[in-house]
Amino acid sequence: MKVCKFGGSSVADENQIRKVKEILDSDPERTIVVVSAPGKRNKADKKVTDMLYECVALASDGRACRPVFNEIRKRYLEIAKGLSIEAPELEKALAEVENNIDAGLGRDYAGSRGEYLNAVLISKYLGYEFIDAQECIIINDDGTVDPVTYEKLGERFKEGGRYCLPGFYGATKAGSVKTFSRGGSDISGAIAARAAGADLYENWTDVSGMLAADPRIVDSPRGVEVLTYKQVRELAEVGASVFHEEAIAPVIPLGIRINIRNTNRPGDEGTLIVPELDSSELIGVSAKGGFTKVSIRKMMLFKRRGVRHAFFTALHLFGVTPSFSLFGVDSIVILFSSSQASDRVVEDMCARLKKDFALDEVSYERGQAVLGIVGGRMNESTAFIDVATALKKERIAISFVNHGASDVTTLFGVKDDEKERAVQVIYSALFK
Ligand code: ASP
């Protein structure tokens, strides 16, 4: 059997939801459906989830959320009407959500209601049984999934019916609603696939799978037919955003394959994500900006025992968690997301490091980006030579290279304002 997750644009209005039904009806294996909240119908439109967060902001200012909530109400009622669903319980549910937001039930509750209301509607339209994620999906304080989830949900699926679940949320151990991070319905779909022991997890979205580069940066990049769990994670880490990077974890133990497909072009095969691949093919290039680089140097730095540990602990005290790090003979370089520390905090942190570690040098630079070349057997690949040559020719300075630490990525550091040009240059050098 197959678990199908439909993203926000696939369930944004009644026409899209009709396509969902056609897709499900065309394959009897598609028995479990996970849905997002209605997303954007066009570029200028708003996602229901964003509007719900606007409602929370109003409520926390002590104002009624009605002006924004009415827009939300209108969207659901339009969908119900368009699909000819008689849903008196929908109006009741809408009223209840509005009251609860006004009463201050907060972000997790409000954010989750976009999916909840949509799943109530869609399950009715499809004739699938509705399962509330709050009853079955348990999310730990750190955002990870409690394993008891798979038993609870598996128990429900055992009856062998057709089920529709809202994505994006579950409950804390104590039972109150808790959401995943944004885009988290991908995680819910993966959880359902694991609990059901699915043969395939189909993730339906508005693009025909993953591309070798961001189409906003590179003109018509080529598609990716197949890649591995690890490669998806590492692509996401450097900015590619088709699939939530935390949505791989639930399917790993069962090795369930994931197929990213396009609701608007159901004939396209999309991208297949598999556990392992014996291939050295290059998959894609991606970039993520907004990093700060801190470099420290001291003669015989590593003579001091436990210095690496002490260094990372010191960073932690300033709220800094590095995304990438490099060790030299007498030096350490780290990159962290700039939003973690203001200029003032970075200044204080550097002064403190200099003093505590008696450093010879410490410096920092804002506005850094990391580019990742993702492929197979990257630690043996010489693609980085072509990349370096191409970047040099275009006079794009490389601030670091990390090759060999991963078998699926080679990383390059460049300046934030050059990252898009760098992606274009690398794409031309490696994929054209
Ligand atoms: N509706 C949520 C969001 O906009 C979750 C999702 O669509 O996956 O982030």
Side-chain angles (χ1 to χ4, degrees):
M1 56 83 52
K2 298 172 186 171
V3 168
C4 303
K5 178 257 166 178
F6 289 89
S9 57
S10 302
V11 287
D13 62 21
E14 78 256 24
N15 288 328
Q16 290 301 91
I17 297 172
R18 278 204 195 91
K19 292 183 193 168
V20 168
K21 184 162 164 37
E22 271 171 38
I23 289 168
L24 295 172
D25 287 349
S26 68
D27 184 345
E29 295 278 301
R30 294 179 175 139
T31 54
I32 297 174
V33 185
V34 175
V35 296
S36 280
K40 292 185 181 187
R41 292 162 293 188
N42 51 60
K43 272 213 172 104
D45 201 14
K46 280 187 180 174
K47 291 182 178 184
V48 164
T49 308
D50 289 325
M51 291 197 278
L52 286 161
Y53 289 137
E54 281 178 41
C55 288
V56 177
L58 285 172
S60 55
D61 267 1
R63 291 191 281 162
C65 71
R66 169 124 322 168
V68 179
F69 197 83
N70 271 345
E71 289 296 308
I72 298 173
R73 175 177 281 115
K74 208 167 119 202
R75 283 197 66 176
Y76 285 104
L77 294 177
E78 262 173 32
I79 294 176
K81 192 164 163 233
L83 298 173
S84 314
I85 304 170
E86 291 289 330
E89 70 271 33
L90 177 68
E91 299 208 25
K92 228 178 98 196
L94 282 162
E96 190 182 311
V97 172
E98 181 181 2
N99 286 337
N100 284 339
I101 295 177
D102 279 341
L105 239 54
R107 243 183 114 75
D108 282 72
Y109 169 80
S112 72
R113 294 303 91 179
E115 272 69 13
Y116 171 83
L117 293 165
N118 221 18
V120 166
L121 255 180
I122 294 175
S123 58
K124 197 147 185 190
Y125 172 63
L126 297 173
Y128 281 37
E129 187 181 327
F130 171 81
I131 296 181
D132 191 350
Q134 190 180 358
E135 288 162 18
C136 307
I137 296 182
I138 310 299
I139 308 173
N140 297 319
D141 289 345
D142 62 1
T144 55
V145 183
D146 191 306
V148 71
T149 296
Y150 303 114
E151 284 164 40
K152 282 183 180 246
L153 210 49
E155 205 46 48
R156 292 294 299 266
F157 293 154
K158 245 198 197 142
E159 290 151 30
R162 293 176 175 265
Y163 305 96
C164 175
L165 287 81
F168 189 39
Y169 74 95
T172 61
K173 275 207 179 82
S176 54
V177 176
K178 184 170 166 68
T179 53
F180 291 113
S181 54
R182 292 302 302 267
S185 298
D186 285 345
I187 309 174
S188 311
I191 292 169
R194 157 99 165 263
D199 300 307
L200 185 66
Y201 168 25
E202 289 182 337
N203 191 285
W204 292 84
T205 171
D206 54 4
V207 289
S208 294
M210 303 184 80
L211 299 169
D214 185 335
R216 288 166 301 185
I217 300 176
V218 171
D219 213 17
S220 317
R222 70 180 190 193
V224 176
E225 261 173 53
V226 54
L227 77 171
T228 65
Y229 293 162
K230 250 203 258 173
Q231 289 169 334
V232 170
R233 270 207 43 87
E234 299 213 13
L235 261 179
E237 198 57 40
V238 285
S241 66
V242 176
F243 191 65
H244 197 297
E245 78 269 19
E246 288 168 39
I248 297 289
V251 300
I252 292 177
L254 299 188
I256 299 167
R257 292 163 311 137
I258 304 163
N259 192 188
I260 314 245
R261 299 190 60 170
N262 189 346
T263 303
N264 305 316
R265 293 176 60 100
D268 291 356
E269 293 196 346
T271 298
L272 198 60
I273 306 170
V274 299
E276 297 283 346
L277 253 173
D278 186 20
S279 155
S280 57
E281 214 181 304
L282 288 169
I283 298 290
V285 49
S286 196
K288 192 170 178 178
F291 288 104
T292 299
K293 182 167 100 177
V294 170
S295 314
I296 67 165
R297 161 173 293 282
K298 175 184 163 63
M299 193 71 96
M300 315 239 251
L301 177 65
F302 298 108
K303 278 275 176 208
R304 178 172 147 191
R305 269 185 153 215
V307 71
R308 290 176 183 79
H309 184 79
F311 175 65
F312 282 98
T313 307
L315 298 176
H316 190 68
L317 294 176
F318 287 87
V320 166
T321 312
S323 302
F324 304 100
S325 51
L326 284 175
F327 296 95
V329 175
D330 283 329
S331 59
I332 305 177
V333 171
I334 54 137
L335 280 110
F336 61 91
S337 172
S338 298
S339 59
Q340 290 178 351
S342 64
D343 287 349
R344 176 75 198 280
V345 171
V346 181
E347 294 276 351
D348 286 354
M349 182 174 80
C350 288
R352 176 78 179 268
L353 291 172
K354 180 145 199 204
K355 186 161 157 274
D356 289 0
F357 292 85
L359 299 175
D360 300 333
E361 284 165 39
V362 54
S363 62
Y364 77 91
E365 258 178 276
R366 295 291 214 184
Q368 303 295 303
V370 177
L371 298 172
I373 322 290
V374 175
R377 295 200 276 275
M378 288 306 285
N379 44 354
E380 296 165 13
S381 160
T382 51
F384 69 95
I385 299 170
D386 301 331
V387 170
T389 311
L391 291 175
K392 182 177 174 207
K393 204 164 144 230
E394 292 299 319
R395 295 178 192 282
I396 297 175
I398 302 171
S399 56
F400 76 86
V401 181
N402 184 340
H403 175 76
S406 156
D407 56 344
V408 298
T409 11
T410 295
L411 303 173
F412 291 86
V414 297
K415 288 231 162 30
D416 218 346
D417 53 11
E418 288 186 323
K419 72 172 187 294
E420 299 194 349
R421 206 158 59 84
V423 167
Q424 290 160 353
V425 169
I426 294 173
Y427 184 84
S428 300
L430 298 181
F431 296 97
K432 272 196 180 155

